[in-house]
Amino acid sequence: MKKSWAIRFWLILRSICNIWRGQVMVVVGAYWGDEGKGKVVDGIGRLYDIIVRFGGGANAGHTVFTPDGRKVVCHLIPCGVAWGKTCVIGRGVLFSLSSFLKEYLDIAMVLGGVMPVIYIDTGCTLFTPYHRLFEFWGETLRNGKIGTTGRAIGALAAFDKLRYGPKVGDLFSPLRLEERVTELYCLLLPIFEEMLERKEKGDEDFKDVVIPTPQEVVAQLLLEAQNLPKDCVIDTRSFLLKQIALGKKILLEGAQAAGLDSKWGTWPFVSAGDSVAVGASLGTGLPMYLITRIMMVGKALPSRVGSGPFPSEMWDRDLMIAFGEEHMHLFSPGRRRDGFLAGLREQINMGGNNEVHAKYFGVLGLELGASTSRVRSLGFSDLPWLRYSAEVNGATEMALTRLDMLSGIGSIKVAVSYKYNGEIFPPGQMPVSAFDLDKVEAVYEDWPCWEEDISGISKWRDLPREARAFIKRIEAAVGVPITVIGTGPGREALIRR
Ligand code: IMP
């Protein structure tokens, strides 16, 4: 039966209203990852019905908490799982079946045996041990190492572009799976042979290399596939479109960040996915016009793991890593850590140098990568980069996490512009493409901080005047309103403006 004009009118009006009220929102990272996107998604996720991961893979790491405080660690599964939301892994995700199953079972255990509702796109590129071997080969032999997370993200994205599978949907078609795995094996055979040759010659780097046959790889994948939740592999694009038509609210959760985006980040020191906001449309198949709210998340002090330029970096990265590895005990709560922090805070307030800042904030923020536990190198707030990030993401708003880290500090340096070839560019401008970021020098201003401990504050008006002024100055430089502010690790430690 034909729909009446009144119903058509009502449907169109509802669609317009939904788009206007931000029915589909995306959350992306502003710097080089680890900005606390998980906390932000977790904090605003309760307002949404479905949470979707659209990019990256098991290289991401988010720690979130269930409403009654149980800890959930997500790598592939969207953070909304902690709230019991329906979760979707979109086509843009580079999918490792073994990582997924481990995470799924771990989460189910934390949730007291409640199996999360998860859908995985049939078109996700599927990880095989061959991808990992290829990444290992590339990272071992190249001079300027990228410092990847070792999850074969680059190899998965590259072979996908070369039109080599397999895909998640192939798990239900054993012949096609074997064909695609064998195709990949044959493509890489010359490299595998050389790896084995190096191993035989006693090359230390290759001593652990084992190359499984395609039949072994397929058998393992098919065995694991039996543990997938029933009917979870679907065409997630049509599922999401149907849910949107039903009026459901969708939150698209990014992985990594603008600085690690394969096109707009600091190439080649990037991840392999589309981590800027437009990646949400590519990775889910949802039309761009539906995504009307774009929130980029930056932390008060940015961080970076792996290699690559970082203009406002506080201290030498290798020294920071060496310090972290030597003093790993300081990266977990305890009296020794408290004493260490009190001493360093005093030094900072007496004009301590960048090394003191790096050690203090690294330990204070427990800055270890969630996926690899690598020590993160820290930087000062970088306004030119945030401005660039807002532009490439098309951000409509911003979240600033970890503001509480600046409590008790007299003042902090903030990078307000870049100097390039002796010329200072106006605040907030990117002088060169992100490729050349290692050639710029950050120009700093000292901004006042505040005495009061602001951790756990959840109301804007409860922030000290200096903290509010700090936020407003960032907003003015970046040109985007800061609507969410993180004031601590807890779920309630979040200000919504
Ligand atoms: P890959 O994504 O494992 O290929 O690593 C490429 C670069 O991105 C390396 O410098 C990693 O440290 C970095 N990277 C990837 N994922 C994350 C993340 O979730 N947080 C921070 N850095 C990341």
Side-chain angles (χ1 to χ4, degrees), residues 164-418:
Y164 280 81
K167 297 278 184 184
V168 166
D170 297 340
L171 289 168
F172 305 96
S173 173
L175 282 180
R176 200 169 57 188
L177 180 67
E178 181 159 353
E179 204 176 291
R180 291 198 163 147
V181 170
T182 309
E183 249 170 24
L184 186 61
Y185 174 78
C186 292
L187 176 76
L188 295 174
L189 197 54
I191 291 179
F192 292 161
E193 282 171 353
E194 193 170 332
M195 285 171 119
L196 291 176
E197 214 173 293
R198 284 173 184 253
K199 180 180 173 175
E200 270 169 33
K201 284 185 183 152
D203 187 332
E204 269 297 294
D205 285 335
F206 294 89
K207 70 176 187 325
D208 296 327
V209 165
V210 176
I211 319 274
T213 64
Q215 291 70 29
E216 284 167 340
V217 172
V218 169
Q220 178 65 22
L221 284 171
L222 291 177
L223 190 73
E224 287 173 344
Q226 290 172 14
N227 297 324
L228 274 170
K230 195 166 178 293
D231 300 329
C232 73
V233 176
I234 60 168
D235 172 6
T236 56
R237 184 194 68 88
S238 5
F239 170 77
L240 288 174
L241 277 178
K242 275 187 206 137
Q243 298 302 311
I244 289 169
L246 290 172
K248 296 277 197 291
K249 293 190 82 178
I250 315 277
L251 187 63
L252 307 174
E253 171 187 323
Q256 289 79 49
L260 294 173
D261 181 82
S262 57
K263 297 261 183 329
W264 302 102
T266 51
W267 188 94
F269 302 104
V270 291
S271 193
D274 303 300
S275 28
V276 289
V278 71
S281 180
L282 281 171
T284 56
L286 293 179
M288 283 188 294
Y289 70 83
L290 281 178
I291 305 170
T292 46
R293 284 184 71 185
I294 299 175
M295 176 181 280
M296 70 171 195
V297 184
K299 54 182 176 182
L301 299 169
S303 65
R304 185 156 199 171
V305 285
S307 316
F310 188 0
S312 66
E313 192 162 28
M314 286 179 188
W315 192 35
D316 182 277
R317 203 167 310 173
D318 292 335
L319 293 177
M320 183 66 194
I321 292 169
F323 161 77
E325 283 169 357
E326 205 177 314
H327 298 87
M328 208 31 98
H329 59 280
L330 294 174
F331 288 79
S332 41
R335 284 207 356 243
R336 282 175 76 183
R337 175 171 174 267
D338 294 345
F340 174 86
L341 288 173
L344 257 62
R345 189 164 43 239
E346 206 177 306
Q347 284 186 43
I348 288 180
N349 286 333
M350 282 161 56
N353 61 16
N354 282 5
E355 175 182 338
V356 178
H357 279 79
K359 288 178 178 171
Y360 172 75
F361 288 116
V363 171
L364 179 70
L366 304 173
E367 295 285 356
L368 297 176
S371 283
T372 55
S373 293
R374 289 182 294 178
V375 178
R376 296 173 186 150
S377 186
L378 282 184
F380 296 105
S381 252
D382 184 341
L383 302 183
W385 179 268
L386 283 180
R387 176 65 174 252
Y388 169 76
S389 190
E391 285 175 8
V392 291
N393 279 308
T396 57
E397 59 201 282
M398 180 175 162
L400 190 75
T401 57
R402 300 194 154 211
L403 189 67
D404 52 308
M405 298 230 325
L406 301 179
S407 297
I409 297 292
S411 66
I412 189 89
K413 285 185 353 182
V414 174
V416 291
S417 53
Y418 288 154

